[in-house]
Amino acid sequence: MAKGTVERSMENLFDGLFSRAFKSGVKPLQLGRKLLQVVDSERDVDAQGRRVVPNSYLIQLSPDDREGFADVEPTLLQELTVALREYISQEGYHVEGKARVALRTNPDLRRGKFEIDCRNITPDAAPAPAPADPSAEPLIEVSAAPLLTAVPSAFDRPPAVLSLPSGERIELHEGHYVLGRHLENDIVLNDTNVSRKHAEFVCAAGEVVVRDLGSTNGTKVNGVLITGEQLLQHGDVVNFGTAQVRFEAS
């Protein structure tokens, strides 16, 4: 079964990445296993006969447990998102847009307890393009994962917005976003100077970091090439090759 395959992958991965003891009373593998159970429990059949599942999963942790994951939260979010998407794909479930995972602190939960809420977030309609200006320089063609709207809890107020070369604004909610030229990415920049999987944004605890994924032409923040991950500040300009986006904190 796909669940068994994905669970074994999680076990191997979490044993390696998260092998040390945590201050948290919750273990990463517990979160991963429960996440897959929630996916199965929420599946339904739509009018086209497809097995559909929600696209947004919010893991609620006690304050102590959230703090226990503080130094690995971006990596934890990334790996949970990868496991979620892999499981949905292997099971043949249909999901609207990209499935996402976010974390939230719930002061009503005691240490060692956690909850996972989920719902389907309907993508917003794409805005109408602005009239072409023949005197302006040509813009890079950009497409992106749908915007998320009408979202509760941690998704209510996006930590940040990316302003793309086309003028389109992409909300970054808590979670993990891959940017690149490949159409399967969360944010797609159709530019030959952008690698297929160029960089990633990780939004956690109200902060956003950008990390280069070994791209050919590199990632720069305010003109400085980054080698690891870089915490972004309001107004930062991020270049992916020659493609430029502006970061705006909410």
Side-chain angles (χ1 to χ4, degrees):
M1 288 180 61
K3 180 184 286 186
T5 302
V6 176
E7 281 189 344
R8 284 193 294 274
S9 296
M10 284 194 301
E11 288 175 2
N12 294 335
L13 179 66
F14 289 170
D15 281 346
L17 287 177
F18 309 118
S19 57
R20 65 177 176 79
F22 284 96
K23 298 177 183 177
S24 173
V26 177
K27 304 304 179 188
L29 190 56
Q30 289 178 271
L31 299 178
R33 284 174 170 165
K34 181 63 176 179
L35 184 62
L36 302 190
Q37 291 172 8
V38 171
V39 174
D40 285 335
S41 68
E42 293 295 326
R43 68 177 180 265
D44 200 356
V45 179
D46 67 6
Q48 288 75 45
R50 300 174 300 186
R51 296 188 300 163
V52 296
V53 294
N55 59 14
S56 299
Y57 298 80
L58 182 63
I59 301 175
Q60 300 190 56
L61 298 166
S62 72
D64 286 345
D65 288 330
R66 182 78 181 273
E67 178 62 27
F69 288 129
D71 59 343
V72 297
E73 185 167 305
T75 303
L76 177 62
L77 268 175
Q78 174 183 348
E79 299 307 334
L80 287 172
T81 300
V82 168
L84 172 68
R85 292 179 180 177
E86 181 181 349
Y87 182 59
I88 289 173
S89 174
Q90 289 186 9
E91 282 293 307
Y93 292 150
H94 177 78
V95 64
E96 189 170 7
K98 296 283 189 180
R100 302 198 185 284
V101 180
L103 299 182
R104 180 193 181 196
T105 302
N106 185 340
D108 294 329
L109 291 175
R110 67 178 186 271
R111 188 174 186 274
K113 298 294 183 181
F114 67 94
E115 298 176 355
I116 300 181
D117 297 327
C118 63
R119 66 175 56 202
N120 198 57
I121 299 173
T122 302
D124 210 5
D133 181 355
S135 65
E137 294 183 3
L139 292 174
I140 300 168
E141 181 184 350
V142 180
S143 61
L147 296 179
L148 304 182
T149 58
V151 194
S153 306
F155 297 102
D156 277 338
R157 298 174 298 280
V161 173
L162 292 181
S163 181
L164 302 179
S166 64
E168 186 177 5
R169 292 167 63 81
I170 302 298
E171 292 183 355
L172 296 180
H173 297 266
E174 286 211 2
H176 173 254
Y177 300 77
V178 175
L179 176 147
R181 199 174 71 249
H182 196 282
L183 295 178
E184 291 298 316
N185 293 322
D186 301 296
I187 303 173
V188 180
L189 295 180
N190 187 14
D191 183 286
T192 55
N193 290 301
V194 176
S195 297
R196 289 169 62 83
K197 287 194 174 183
H198 195 108
E200 62 184 356
F201 294 93
V202 178
C203 309
E207 295 184 335
V208 181
V209 299
V210 63
R211 181 187 298 123
D212 189 81
L213 296 177
S215 66
T216 301
N217 293 315
T219 300
K220 295 180 180 179
V221 176
N222 300 325
V224 178
L225 188 69
I226 64 173
T227 55
E229 64 181 34
Q230 174 72 43
L231 178 66
L232 295 176
Q233 305 292 335
H234 178 73
D236 282 348
V237 174
V238 187
N239 281 80
F240 307 101
T242 57
Q244 178 175 293
V245 305
R246 179 181 171 83
F247 174 84
E248 301 174 17
S250 297

